[in-house]
Amino acid sequence: MQTISLSGREVRDAVSMREAIDAVRRGFVGLAGGEFEMPTRTALRDGRFLVMSAHHRPTRSAMVKTLSVNFDRAPAITGTVVWSTLDRLDHLVADAGAVTTLRTGAAVGVATDLLAAPDADRLTLIGTGGQARDQVRAVHTVRPLRRLTVVGTSDARARSLADTLRAELDGTEIRIATDPAAAVGDAHIVCCATPVTSPLFPASALPAQVHVNAIGAFRPAMRELPDELLADGTVVVDELGAILEESGEIIHALRAGALARDDLTELGTALTSAPGGHGRRTVFKSVGVAMQDWAVARLLADKFLG
């Protein structure tokens, strides 16, 4: 029996964003097909500590992730991902911060590939924290970017992030902004990755055709998107049970009557039925589910455990 332990750097070196997107896409389809046993995650201290688990029935494998979240430290997310299977004694333990940002980006890549216009090439990223880089990497993987606008409350942090991304986005124009409402006005794709408690922009600030990803708010008191956007667009979510329990945007819109439960489509279902979204506003709302972590952990297990 052996236990392989992987640092964040080793996770990054082993799994490309393209691999993660493909694995997470397969995972969402499998989730819709009933392949997973996946309880709603345990949240302690109002989401500061999270425990997530998933069992994939066809492969007899499971993943358990334990992490802590503190936006006042860097990195904000720390913890471990443990992967195991009934068919062997070996285990894999990986850095939860790297797995979480990678799989969250991958889910956005899957949704953007499905819902954004085929020629979309202008991204506005709102947020400069630990999730930001993988949001851009994922979108760029499925929709090569001609222009990126980085929006942050701190000009210094936005410029630092832009400098980091510039080395990876050869040929992409990168701009800095501080006003989210102004920055989304001509975007093709918007990524929101902030822990805010009120909407980042009014729906009227968006163009008539745009795809919006929102991954920053993961508790009922947090909210990045306005009700009007959710009422007006096609809304796709990662998993309905988790969204109804944890997504502040969806909970608020449902209570306000701006949205009905039947208006929500799970991403796995959307991937197999391919609802049309091009030509109007589309939204992908994610709070993150354990299947995504399992998908990346399985890639790592295949590479390191054989």
Side-chain angles (χ1 to χ4, degrees), residues 29-207:
V29 172
L31 184 62
E35 294 182 2
F36 287 88
E37 179 183 2
M38 192 180 71
T40 301
R41 66 184 166 201
T42 299
L44 306 172
R45 198 179 174 90
D46 194 28
R48 293 301 185 99
F49 298 96
L50 300 172
V51 180
M52 306 172 67
S53 58
H55 163 228
H56 186 235
R57 296 183 178 93
T59 59
R60 292 160 52 94
S61 62
M63 183 285 315
V64 178
K65 180 172 77 170
T66 304
L67 55 80
S68 65
V69 182
N70 183 353
F71 295 109
D72 294 325
R73 73 182 182 202
I77 299 171
T78 63
T80 58
V81 168
V82 180
W83 187 92
S84 60
T85 174
L86 294 177
D87 298 326
R88 60 188 303 167
L89 298 175
D90 302 329
H91 289 70
L92 182 138
V93 180
D95 176 75
V99 172
T100 300
T101 55
L102 183 61
R103 62 80 150 156
T104 305
V108 162
V110 174
T112 300
D113 197 26
L114 176 68
L115 297 169
D119 60 349
D121 62 6
R122 296 198 298 266
L123 168 65
T124 293
L125 168 71
I126 306 175
T128 58
Q131 297 274 14
R133 283 174 290 179
D134 281 317
Q135 296 293 295
V136 176
R137 290 165 179 154
V139 172
H140 185 59
T141 298
V142 299
R143 295 291 188 275
L145 294 172
R146 182 172 58 85
R147 192 182 80 197
L148 166 66
T149 302
V150 178
V151 184
T153 55
S154 165
D155 185 74
R157 289 186 63 178
R159 291 188 182 281
S160 177
L161 176 60
D163 289 342
T164 299
L165 291 168
R166 193 169 280 113
E168 303 180 31
L169 303 176
D170 186 37
T172 301
E173 177 190 358
I174 301 182
R175 301 178 178 180
I176 305 298
T178 56
D179 181 359
V184 301
D186 63 349
H188 296 153
I189 302 165
V190 176
C191 285
C192 304
T194 66
V196 296
T197 57
S198 59
L200 292 163
F201 47 77
S204 59
L206 293 163

